Amino acid sequence: EPALSIRGLTKVYGNGFNALKGIDLDVAEGDFFALLGPNGAGKSTTLGIVSSLVQKTAGSVSVFGIDIDRDFAKAKYHLGVVPQEFNFNQFEKVEDIVLTQAGYYGMPMREAKPRAEQLLRDLGLWDKRKGSARMLSGGMKRRLMIARALIHRPRLLILDEPTAGVDIELRRSMWEFMQRINREGTTIILTTHYLEEAESLCRNIAIINHGDIVQNTSVRDLLAQL
Ligand code: ADP
Ligand code: ADP
């Protein structure tokens, strides 16, 4: 079964704006998938619905075959989500932000501690772990959210514009990190408005515009058309 399966997904916001017009999307397990499109296309809305931060108007979403309407509690164990905005408590200690998340998933501390250590090291946050999150740079805060999203070993990692506003050097190191965990078996879906980022990282791509999927293809076929 696919890591993510979306059927007829529709979102009409409270002000009447139709942000998603019945989209279908499948992402296979193991894929590195980009949802590409200009600002305002509906990318964040789509990911927001999958992670149940945004309520959908119609349609269905399954994560590894689990319908999120029927059993989000179960689906969320398979999901790691990195939203665009910083949504952690800035006054909390860096390592506590990651460990608190482990608690939400019922991970025992003896398992969570070494996992958190590994992630904080891999993401270049080890030296900062005892400090409060508000002392981190923007790029570090982004990486903290990635560590937090991965603590429970989700099979699907969803990132909303993970490298927006990040300088090129850091962007490359984040790319390498994402490529490594994808090779190790984590399915990754990211949104981006950089074609170049989708090109160099991803295997498959969907292009969304005005709430419709206008193209859904492999990166190789997309490049062959240009
Ligand atoms: P919903 O229909 O999902 O309940 P609402 O229309 O009530 O969403 O808006 C939720 C929040 O998003 C509100 O705080 C609103 O001010 C804000 N919001 C409204 N329009 C936009 C927009 N175009 N882009 C981003 N946020 C918006
Ligand atoms: P993207 O992530 O592709 O930039 P979004 O999913 O954030 O696009 O937004 C899609 C459209 O929905 C935009 O036109 C945006 O202004 C609108 N929108 C987003 N949130 C809200 C909201 N809460 N209320 C009304 N409109 C919204």
Side-chain angles (χ1 to χ4, degrees):
E1 66 218 345
L4 179 67
S5 180
I6 290 177
R7 289 293 172 273
L9 190 63
T10 302
K11 174 63 182 179
V12 180
Y13 279 105
N15 63 359
F17 185 79
N18 190 356
L20 291 177
K21 301 172 180 166
I23 66 168
D24 297 333
L25 197 63
D26 282 301
V27 177
E29 177 156 23
D31 204 351
F32 200 142
F33 190 96
L35 192 55
L36 184 76
N39 275 325
K43 304 181 298 294
S44 295
T45 300
T46 304
L47 298 192
I49 292 169
V50 172
S51 48
S52 111
L53 302 168
V54 175
Q55 213 181 338
K56 63 185 159 58
T57 305
S60 66
V61 176
S62 295
V63 175
F64 294 101
I66 303 159
D67 185 324
I68 63 165
D69 287 338
R70 293 225 182 92
D71 202 350
F72 186 74
K74 189 169 168 202
K76 79 164 191 185
Y77 281 91
H78 297 311
L79 274 177
V81 181
V82 181
Q84 234 179 96
E85 66 286 358
F86 300 136
N87 65 348
F88 49 81
N89 178 355
Q90 305 254 344
F91 295 95
E92 216 180 328
K93 268 201 304 183
V94 167
E95 68 179 0
D96 290 348
I97 289 171
V98 178
L99 290 171
T100 303
Q101 185 81 355
Y104 292 142
Y105 290 96
M107 280 178 92
M109 266 307 142
R110 64 171 189 286
E111 199 184 313
K113 276 264 189 184
R115 173 75 177 155
E117 173 173 343
Q118 187 67 56
L119 287 166
L120 291 172
R121 284 188 190 282
D122 287 354
L123 287 159
L125 294 168
W126 184 246
D127 294 344
K128 306 283 181 189
R129 70 190 183 284
K130 300 287 184 196
S132 109
R134 103 194 119 88
M135 306 305 283
L136 300 179
S137 69
M140 287 176 174
K141 288 175 179 168
R142 182 80 45 205
R143 283 178 283 148
L144 169 59
M145 293 205 296
I146 296 175
R148 183 183 61 174
L150 288 170
I151 186 71
H152 62 296
R153 302 179 186 279
R155 295 161 75 191
L156 173 59
L157 178 66
I158 291 181
L159 308 111
D160 199 355
E161 300 269 2
T163 61
V166 165
D167 70 56
I168 184 67
E169 204 171 318
L170 183 54
R171 187 179 305 169
R172 284 193 196 292
S173 84
M174 289 174 71
W175 285 2
E176 278 166 28
F177 177 79
M178 291 189 279
Q179 282 169 321
R180 174 158 71 76
I181 65 167
N182 177 246
R183 275 198 305 275
E184 290 168 0
T186 309
T187 308
I188 300 183
I189 302 175
L190 57 79
T191 69
T192 181
H193 52 263
Y194 302 119
L195 176 60
E196 154 224 356
E197 176 161 85
E199 237 177 67
S200 51
L201 277 181
C202 300
R203 209 163 301 134
N204 292 296
I205 197 171
I207 301 175
I208 184 168
N209 198 14
H210 298 302
D212 277 314
I213 302 273
V214 293
Q215 193 156 31
N216 189 351
T217 180
S218 68
V219 168
R220 189 188 298 151
D221 289 350
L222 180 75
L223 293 178
Q225 285 170 30
L226 298 178

